[in-house]
Amino acid sequence: MNRKLISLAIVIILGTKLLTGCGKETDSVDSSSKNGLTTVRVAVMTGNFTQYTALIGKQQGIFEKNGINLEITEYAAGVNTIDAVVAGQADIGNMADYAAVNRIGNTLDTNNLVIVSEIQGGDVNGFLYTAPEYADDLKKLDGKGFINSVGTVNEYYNSQIFGYLGFDEGKQNLVNSDGTTTSLALAQSGDVAAAFSSGSSSTYFEGIGWKKAIDGADLGIETYSYYMTTEEFNSSHVQMLADFLKATQESYDYIMEHLVETAKYLESTLGISADNFKSDWSIAKSRIGFSQEGVEQLIKIEDWAYNNGRYDKKYDISNYINTDALEKIYPDKVTVKQ
């Protein structure tokens, strides 16, 4: 085992009601072995790249072809998927860079987590949205309510926004939200004036008359996402993890090759807009593997989180990375420096 190796932003389908630590099963499957397949429980973020990849991969029999009986459970945010892994409710969870770094940093003495693959990485396809009265003078947002999701990458986004606008971060009013439904209620009530949103959830802010204020690309925001599991699961199920990651890559490839068909299927089954899905997926880049850029992103976020008081002790995030499973299937995609 080598311990030295390691948008899209959270998208939550309107109307999904999830509580921290509680998941919604997308497809309930008996956990007993079926037809010689090995059951793998994956925790995904609702409306996220990984949810759709897992759903389509299962629907098309790609995971089954790779020997896996896949159980999928949805959670509101990456912090929830990590909690599911820690609690033994899931074998593998996906999360954004900040959620992974923050969760490890706040449990250094007790956690047994390991990051086993990148999933995505790059610019976030999102915008800062504001109530109409602030659209022409963003300086008026100083001190007004910004939607915030504690423990998620949204905390990092807000910090970058405040820096971009020249606001004193310590004087800003962060209003906590647990999902899109709550955020929209806050927006409509006038309790908040701004929110960063990406992917299909952005259409909901536009639907209530909010305006695009700053493009995520202009803010310089990049987000990477990863798969995480426990040290015990990783060390005892290397081949299973390899099969899971291989099936995930093949599922992504299938979607790219059948984008229109997939979009129509998800619109009919999940009610999401086919056009929005195709637009979001046009910038979705699969990064199953582990790049040096992925490691450096985690290091950058860890430095930022520590320097901004998110936890008390600085640590080396590379100690929580393992590529044993990846090296079985995609050794050429592991480009981290030794």
Side-chain angles (χ1 to χ4, degrees):
M1 178 186 295
N2 188 339
R3 294 292 306 277
K4 294 184 178 180
L5 303 179
I6 200 156
S7 83
L8 299 167
I10 300 171
V11 181
I12 304 175
I13 296 174
L14 183 63
T16 300
K17 297 181 180 179
L18 298 170
L19 299 175
T20 299
C22 298
K24 169 189 170 186
E25 289 194 10
T26 301
D27 189 5
S28 180
V29 181
D30 189 333
S31 60
S32 61
S33 177
K34 290 189 173 184
N35 300 322
L37 303 176
T38 302
T39 296
V40 176
R41 303 168 301 164
V42 61
V44 299
M45 290 185 281
T46 302
N48 188 269
F49 173 91
T50 49
Q51 182 200 10
Y52 302 139
T53 304
L55 281 172
I56 297 302
K58 180 165 185 172
Q59 187 253 350
Q60 291 296 320
I62 296 171
F63 284 92
E64 183 176 353
K65 182 191 73 173
N66 283 277
I68 293 173
N69 168 42
L70 189 67
E71 292 185 356
I72 309 165
T73 307
E74 301 170 38
Y75 292 84
V79 64
N80 307 134
T81 71
I82 299 174
D83 287 343
V85 170
V86 171
Q89 297 167 349
D91 302 313
I92 305 165
N94 85 276
M95 72 295 300
D97 41 32
Y98 176 78
V101 165
N102 188 54
R103 183 64 166 78
I104 292 172
N106 279 287
T107 57
L108 285 175
D109 295 331
T110 59
N111 84 74
N112 62 343
L113 298 169
V114 60
I115 304 168
V116 296
S117 179
E118 286 177 59
I119 306 172
Q120 278 184 290
D123 293 336
V124 177
N125 180 30
F127 296 87
L128 174 67
Y129 284 86
T130 70
E133 59 266 33
Y134 300 98
D136 295 328
D137 188 358
L138 298 182
K139 292 298 182 182
K140 292 182 179 178
L141 290 170
D142 197 358
K144 298 298 191 294
F146 279 71
I147 289 175
N148 188 58
S149 299
V150 177
T152 75
V153 73
N154 183 236
E155 288 193 305
Y156 177 65
Y157 292 167
N158 279 333
S159 179
Q160 303 307 298
I161 291 166
F162 299 146
Y164 181 91
L165 294 172
F167 293 169
D168 183 342
E169 185 170 351
K171 295 181 180 179
Q172 301 312 305
N173 177 25
L174 296 174
V175 181
N176 293 335
S177 169
D178 60 3
T180 303
T181 303
T182 302
S183 296
L184 287 173
L186 290 168
Q188 290 177 303
S189 69
D191 291 335
V192 295
F196 188 88
S197 182
S198 62
S200 59
S201 66
S202 297
T203 61
Y204 305 132
F205 287 102
E206 294 171 8
I208 62 172
W210 276 34
K211 306 297 183 183
K212 291 180 180 179
I214 309 173
D215 192 311
D218 293 331
L219 293 167
I221 293 176
E222 286 191 333
T223 296
Y224 282 55
S225 60
Y226 303 85
Y227 276 125
M228 179 178 282
T229 186
T230 62
E231 291 181 345
E232 291 82 358
F233 188 88
N234 178 67
S235 62
S236 58
H237 298 88
V238 176
Q239 187 60 55
M240 182 192 297
L241 275 170
D243 294 339
F244 169 81
L245 294 171
K246 181 173 179 288
T248 298
Q249 180 65 61
E250 291 176 359
S251 299
Y252 167 84
D253 294 339
Y254 176 88
I255 293 174
M256 292 300 293
E257 293 166 5
H258 303 84
L259 188 57
V260 173
E261 171 191 327
T262 300
K264 289 180 179 178
Y265 171 78
L266 291 174
E267 185 172 60
S268 66
T269 55
L270 297 182
I272 67 172
S273 164
D275 288 339
N276 287 344
F277 175 80
K278 287 185 288 186
S279 176
D280 291 345
W281 209 265
S282 68
I283 64 166
K285 306 295 183 185
S286 173
R287 294 178 72 101
I288 296 299
F290 231 121
S291 67
Q292 182 59 27
E293 292 82 3
V295 177
E296 291 172 357
Q297 175 73 3
L298 288 167
I299 292 171
K300 180 180 77 172
I301 298 295
E302 197 281 323
D303 287 343
W304 176 88
Y306 172 72
N307 292 330
N308 284 272
R310 295 310 193 266
Y311 38 79
D312 297 329
K313 184 178 179 181
K314 189 169 178 57
Y315 69 98
D316 184 354
I317 187 67
S318 64
N319 287 334
Y320 293 85
I321 298 167
N322 183 279
T323 60
D324 288 352
L326 283 171
E327 288 171 1
K328 276 184 167 291
I329 49 167
Y330 300 130
D332 58 321
K333 292 186 179 183
V334 179
T335 62
V336 295
K337 296 177 181 177
Q338 298 291 330

